[in-house]
């Protein structure tokens, strides 16, 4: 017998020959579904098909003679047979006193019975992928899903997704979910997998329909899976009120589901409620630690990391656990190159002039544009950027690349580890270039087309910092843009800066900023009203409100509405004085009006309220 069967099996199973051997074995089994014919075939051809797999048995013919019939039976016993409703028909072990199947002439108990004990060292391989691969696409449409294991189907689908076969994976699982009424808890992971397939295939309509069907499934665990996914979508859209309402429904449906802990923490982190997230994480970690039935090690580790305030580390860890694109993106960002100056400037009067890339950057920009024409995925861009680290010293390339990583590619809550480092790098690069040319106090106007990529990156940085609830940093970047680089504020940063001043209690600075832009648009006018009131200038605030309401009445109406309806929105366009402008203002700044208690005052100042006063 083998002196160390564990080491033999681990080295053998790791060999590429095993995959080919299993493929050929399954193909042979499906020809006749005859166990005797397969065992004879295996005895005759296995070593020829996979010689490397059997190398560990070299020089030990007795061990090989014992292993081959045992492994052949192992393969047969795990093969789903179409003639048996895709279920295996396991062969029993030989009787103890029966002739040993290895052909030694001895009784089984005196020969290979000991080898059977070593069979436990072989992993429980799923051979369903080989069975399904041996079938045509049309044959797979008619699979008897009532007899197939949903867990094993999910395992096959995940394997196919990893090898670029998301379309095949989706078609495989779609058959499982034709009738939700037949499914139980075992289908939950397959449900999540099919949703992931639709994400990878870029098919939001099918995803939406599956979520709708899942939300009304008879099985409560499938309903919960659909509700959890919908909850994440709402949080990604910043619709936190509806997300929390749905979360409460989930608590009532599956109150003891450990995954609720993860969902609650993620929503809180997305909102920027890090302190509350830490408190809830501490509670959940203690609760799950007392669960006598299950071990929740990785989940508890995640919760303890949040409870200890290690949010960035936790989010990085989560990103690594996601798909290969997110892992590649994180690896790329963790190794950003040092900032280098490859731009020239031509200062004139109070302007730094246009940012002109040197020859190296011009050549690299041309290469990036050429590869972008053929890029089919995030992975293609990541691979190119890894080969061309100079791209991270080029505003044009960074701006163009980040434009492809919008909200549908990066989940909210992960900006801090996946996007902010690149945007902060862009800011450092610009400051270094301006200092190198000694123009740090001059303007860098939007009017120069060459400056727009750098200014757009700064705008993205300020917005991302605000999204991550890093208001101090957002103000620092916006101040630099509005007060120094581009005082004409072609990018519309001034009203956001004013309201952020108010959030930080910097009221005098908000009023000074407002004074630079008199008779401005709706957002700045209403922000000025709020700043005057917070400064105690109630009469001036009342007068400013009259002017703002006269020019932009829809904003006041939208702020005071209990449940305002979203008006028709046109991406990239806002109608001055329109309901869409008012809707955007409410989305951005309602929290400030509400938190400082100025809505009641606004309501008292409304013309309709004054008319009914005695």
């Amino acid at each position: 017998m083998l002196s160390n069967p564990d080491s033999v099996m681990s080295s053998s199973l790791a060999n590429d020959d095993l995959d080919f051997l299993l493929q050929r074995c399954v193909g042979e089994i499906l020809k006749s579904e005859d166990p005797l014919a397969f065992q004879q075939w295996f005895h005759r051809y296995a070593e020829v098909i996979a010689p490397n797999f059997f190398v560990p048995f070299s020089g030990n013919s007795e061990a090989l003679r014992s292993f081959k019939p045992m492994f052949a039976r192992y393969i047969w016993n795990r093969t789903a047979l179409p003639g048996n409703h895709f279920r295996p028909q396991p062969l029993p072990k030989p009787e103890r006193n029966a002739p040993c199947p290895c052909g030694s002439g001895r009784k089984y108990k005196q020969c290979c019975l000991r080898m059977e004990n070593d069979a436990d060292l072989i992993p429980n391989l799923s051979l369903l992928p080989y069975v399904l691969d041996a079938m045509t696409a049309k044959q797979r449409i008619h699979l008897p899903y009532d007899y197939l294991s949903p867990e094993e189907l999910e395992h096959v689908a995940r394997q196919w997704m990893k090898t670029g076969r998301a379309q095949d994976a989706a078609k495989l699982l779609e058959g499982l979910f034709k009738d939700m009424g037949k499914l139980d808890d075992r289908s939950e992971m397959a449900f999540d997998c099919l949703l992931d397939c639709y994400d990878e295939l870029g098919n939001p309509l099918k995803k939406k329909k599956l979520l709708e069907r899942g939300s009304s499934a008879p099985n409560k665990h499938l309903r919960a899976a659909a509700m959890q996914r919908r909850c994440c979508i709402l949080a990604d859209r910043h619709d936190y009120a509806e997300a929390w309402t749905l979360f409460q429904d989930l608590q009532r449906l599956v109150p003891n589901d450990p995954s609720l802990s993860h969902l609650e923490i993620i929503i809180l982190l997305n909102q920027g409620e890090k302190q509350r997230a830490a408190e809830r994480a501490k509670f959940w970690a203690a609760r799950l630690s007392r669960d006598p039935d299950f071990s929740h090690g990785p989940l508890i580790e995640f919760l303890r990391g949040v409870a200890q305030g290690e949010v960035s580390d936790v989010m990085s860890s989560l990103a690594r656990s996601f798909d290969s694109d997110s892992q590649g993106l994180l690896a790329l960002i963790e190794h950003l190159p040092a900032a280098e100056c490859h731009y020239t400037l031509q200062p004139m009067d109070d302007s730094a002039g246009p940012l002109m890339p040197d020859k190296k950057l011009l050549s690299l920009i041309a290469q990036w544009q050429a590869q972008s024409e053929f890029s089919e995925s995030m992975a293609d861009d990541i691979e190119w950027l890894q080969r061309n680290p100079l791209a991270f010293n080029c505003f044009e390339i960074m701006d163009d690349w980040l434009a492809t990583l919008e909200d549908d590619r990066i989940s909210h809550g992960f900006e801090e580890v996946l996007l902010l480092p690149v945007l902060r790098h862009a800011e450092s690069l610009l400051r270094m270039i301006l200092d190198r040319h000694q123009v740090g106090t001059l303007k860098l106007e939007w009017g120069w087309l060459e400056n727009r990529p750098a200014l757009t990156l700064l705008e993205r940085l300020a917005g991302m910092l605000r999204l991550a609830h890093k208001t101090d940093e957002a103000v620092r970047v916006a101040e630099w843009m509005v007060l120094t680089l581009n005082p004409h504020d072609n990018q519309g940063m001034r009203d956001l800066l004013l309201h952020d001043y108010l959030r930080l209690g910097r009221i005098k600075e908000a009023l000074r900023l407002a004074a630079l832009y008199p008779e401005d648009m709706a957002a700045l006018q209403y922000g000025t009203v709020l700043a005057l009131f917070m400064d105690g200038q109630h009469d001036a605030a009342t007068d400013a409100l009259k002017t703002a309401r006269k020019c932009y009445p829809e904003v006041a109406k939208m702020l005071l509405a209990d449940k305002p309806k979203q008006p028709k929105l046109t991406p990239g366009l806002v109608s001055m004085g329109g309901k869409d402008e008012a809707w955007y203002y409410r989305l951005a700044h309602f929290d400030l009006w509400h938190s400082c208690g100025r809505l009641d005052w606004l309501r008292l100042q409304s013309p309709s309220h004054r008319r009914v006063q005695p």
Side-chain angles (χ1 to χ4, degrees):
M1 289 296 167
L2 298 174
S3 58
N4 190 353
D6 189 14
S7 63
V8 171
M9 288 310 304
S10 61
S11 62
S12 298
L13 292 172
N15 198 290
D16 290 340
D17 270 14
L18 177 60
D19 182 65
F20 184 54
L21 176 61
L22 294 175
Q23 178 185 335
R24 291 292 305 274
C25 285
V26 169
E28 187 64 26
I29 289 172
L30 296 184
K31 286 180 181 179
S32 63
E33 300 189 16
D34 182 339
L36 181 59
F38 167 67
Q39 288 174 309
Q40 292 174 343
W41 175 89
F42 188 92
H43 179 75
R44 183 175 180 181
Y45 295 108
E47 290 176 75
V48 178
I49 292 171
N52 293 322
F53 176 71
F54 291 97
V55 164
F57 294 94
S58 298
N60 195 335
S61 58
E62 183 181 353
L64 178 61
R65 188 179 68 240
S66 295
F67 174 76
K68 285 173 65 176
M70 181 270 291
F71 195 53
R73 192 168 70 255
Y74 168 89
I75 294 172
W76 170 270
N77 288 351
R78 283 159 178 76
T79 301
L81 302 175
N84 191 41
H85 301 295
F86 283 82
R87 290 179 173 177
Q89 283 186 321
L91 294 170
K93 291 182 181 180
E95 294 291 337
R96 289 174 56 85
N97 292 315
C100 189
C102 75
S104 65
R106 289 177 287 179
K107 292 181 179 181
Y108 180 59
K109 67 180 180 181
Q110 298 169 340
C111 189
C112 294
L113 177 60
R114 284 177 293 174
M115 176 63 79
E116 287 290 346
N117 298 327
D118 295 336
D120 294 335
L121 300 173
I122 306 175
N124 188 19
L125 297 173
S126 171
L127 299 187
L128 185 59
Y130 299 96
V131 175
L132 295 176
D133 272 332
M135 304 170 65
T136 66
K138 289 184 178 180
Q139 288 174 326
R140 289 199 293 266
I141 293 175
H142 302 291
L143 288 172
Y145 287 95
D146 290 346
Y147 296 94
L148 289 166
S149 162
E151 294 101 329
E152 198 167 10
L153 287 171
E154 185 268 342
H155 171 73
V156 175
R158 290 289 182 193
Q159 282 189 331
W160 285 357
M161 287 181 69
K162 289 178 182 178
T163 55
R165 297 177 59 186
Q167 188 69 52
D168 289 337
K171 288 181 178 179
L172 176 66
L173 295 179
E174 282 170 348
L176 178 65
F177 291 99
K178 282 184 178 179
D179 187 351
M180 288 278 186
K182 295 182 178 180
L183 302 176
D184 56 25
D185 305 5
R186 298 173 302 156
S187 302
E188 183 179 346
M189 293 178 65
F191 182 80
D192 281 328
C193 183
L194 183 52
L195 290 169
D196 292 341
C197 284
Y198 290 148
D199 280 336
E200 187 162 325
L201 294 169
N203 201 327
L205 183 58
K206 281 193 173 183
K207 179 180 178 180
K208 180 182 178 181
K209 289 182 177 179
L210 181 63
L211 282 172
E212 289 172 352
R213 293 175 57 225
S215 298
S216 58
N219 181 268
K220 72 174 184 179
H221 292 283
L222 279 178
R223 291 205 307 278
M227 291 166 67
Q228 286 199 39
R229 190 65 73 100
R230 285 172 50 210
C231 204
C232 291
I233 292 171
L234 289 168
D236 282 349
R237 294 174 180 170
H238 302 287
D239 194 345
Y240 297 116
E242 193 168 345
W244 285 120
T245 299
L246 191 57
F247 181 80
Q248 291 171 353
D249 292 340
L250 265 168
Q251 286 181 309
R252 287 188 286 271
L253 181 64
V254 285
N256 298 316
D257 190 337
S259 65
L260 291 179
S261 63
H262 183 271
L263 180 61
E264 181 180 10
I265 300 307
I266 289 299
I267 298 175
L268 287 170
L269 290 176
N270 280 1
Q271 284 186 279
E273 299 283 349
K274 294 184 179 180
Q275 182 59 42
R276 179 61 177 160
E279 293 170 359
R280 294 298 296 166
K282 185 177 181 180
F283 162 80
W284 278 109
R287 176 176 170 177
L288 295 179
S289 296
R290 294 192 296 268
D291 189 340
D293 298 320
F294 299 98
S295 173
H296 306 287
L299 182 54
I300 292 173
E301 183 181 354
F302 160 76
L303 294 169
R304 285 175 176 165
V306 175
Q308 294 168 9
E310 301 167 355
V311 176
S312 294
D313 292 342
V314 169
M315 300 307 275
S316 295
S317 177
L318 278 177
R320 287 189 180 90
S321 70
F322 285 173
D323 56 80
S324 57
D325 283 349
S326 296
Q327 295 171 11
L329 179 58
L330 186 62
L332 181 68
I333 289 169
E334 287 177 339
H335 297 89
L336 291 174
E340 297 177 9
C341 182
H342 289 272
Y343 287 89
T344 58
L345 287 163
Q346 298 176 351
M348 52 193 81
D349 299 327
D350 62 346
S351 171
L355 281 163
M356 303 298 295
D358 64 13
K359 290 182 179 179
K360 284 186 177 180
L361 287 194
L362 288 172
S363 174
L364 198 62
I365 292 169
Q367 294 175 47
W368 167 257
Q369 292 171 342
Q371 82 88 31
S372 296
E373 291 292 325
F374 301 99
S375 176
E376 296 181 353
S377 66
M378 186 194 300
D380 292 339
D381 293 342
I382 291 173
E383 182 182 356
W384 189 90
L385 290 167
Q386 287 173 333
R387 288 188 280 106
N388 297 278
L390 182 60
F392 286 101
N393 285 297
C394 178
F395 298 119
E396 290 82 354
I397 293 177
M398 283 191 288
D399 180 44
D400 189 51
W401 176 52
L402 290 177
T404 68
L405 299 178
E406 295 296 1
D407 294 350
D408 59 334
R409 307 283 300 269
I410 300 297
S411 297
H412 293 303
F414 292 90
E415 298 89 352
E416 193 168 346
V417 295
L418 293 178
L419 296 183
L420 272 182
V422 179
L423 292 167
R424 286 188 173 121
H425 171 80
E427 181 195 1
S428 298
L429 175 64
L430 181 59
R431 289 186 183 276
M432 184 267 286
I433 292 170
L434 297 179
D435 289 344
R436 181 72 56 85
H437 292 284
Q438 299 181 343
V439 293
T441 60
L442 301 185
K443 294 185 289 187
L444 193 77
E445 301 101 326
W446 180 262
W448 294 103
L449 296 180
E450 293 85 354
N451 294 342
R452 293 187 181 182
L455 291 172
T456 300
L457 286 166
L458 289 185
E459 181 184 357
R460 287 180 186 277
L461 174 59
M464 198 65 70
L465 289 167
R466 190 174 293 108
L467 185 66
H469 301 273
K470 297 180 181 295
T471 309
D472 282 319
E473 270 196 272
V475 164
R476 175 183 58 75
V477 176
E479 275 182 331
W480 188 35
M481 296 178 68
V482 175
L483 302 181
T484 301
L485 296 181
N486 187 34
H488 290 297
D489 190 29
N490 308 78
Q491 295 164 278
M493 301 291 294
R494 55 191 180 274
D495 68 273
L496 295 171
L497 175 58
L498 184 147
H499 286 83
D500 281 345
Y501 275 146
L502 297 180
R503 287 184 176 87
L504 296 174
R506 296 163 62 175
I507 301 170
K508 296 298 184 185
E509 289 166 280
L511 290 171
R512 283 196 293 270
L513 178 64
L516 297 175
Y517 302 93
E519 300 180 4
D520 204 76
M521 292 183 289
L524 203 74
Q525 286 204 27
Y526 276 87
T528 302
V529 170
L530 195 55
L532 288 167
F533 196 99
M534 293 174 72
D535 195 47
Q537 302 183 49
H538 293 176
D539 291 341
T542 301
D543 292 339
L545 177 61
K546 290 178 182 177
T547 302
R549 181 173 257 138
K550 181 179 179 180
C551 298
Y552 304 101
E554 295 296 337
V555 174
K557 294 178 185 177
M558 193 69 75
L559 284 172
L560 293 174
D562 289 334
K563 294 183 179 180
K565 293 182 179 180
Q566 178 178 311
K568 182 179 180 181
L569 305 177
T570 303
L573 296 175
V574 178
S575 55
M576 291 184 60
K579 292 183 178 181
D580 56 342
E581 180 185 51
W583 174 262
Y584 286 127
Y585 183 84
R586 179 187 170 101
L587 283 180
H589 306 304
F590 179 81
D591 66 309
L592 186 57
W593 282 82
H594 182 269
S595 64
C596 66
R598 300 304 180 247
L599 287 173
D600 289 339
W601 172 79
L602 181 62
R603 187 172 288 105
L604 289 172
Q605 301 303 314
S606 67
S608 60
H609 186 276
R610 289 199 302 269
R611 281 198 296 270
V612 300
Q613 296 302 307

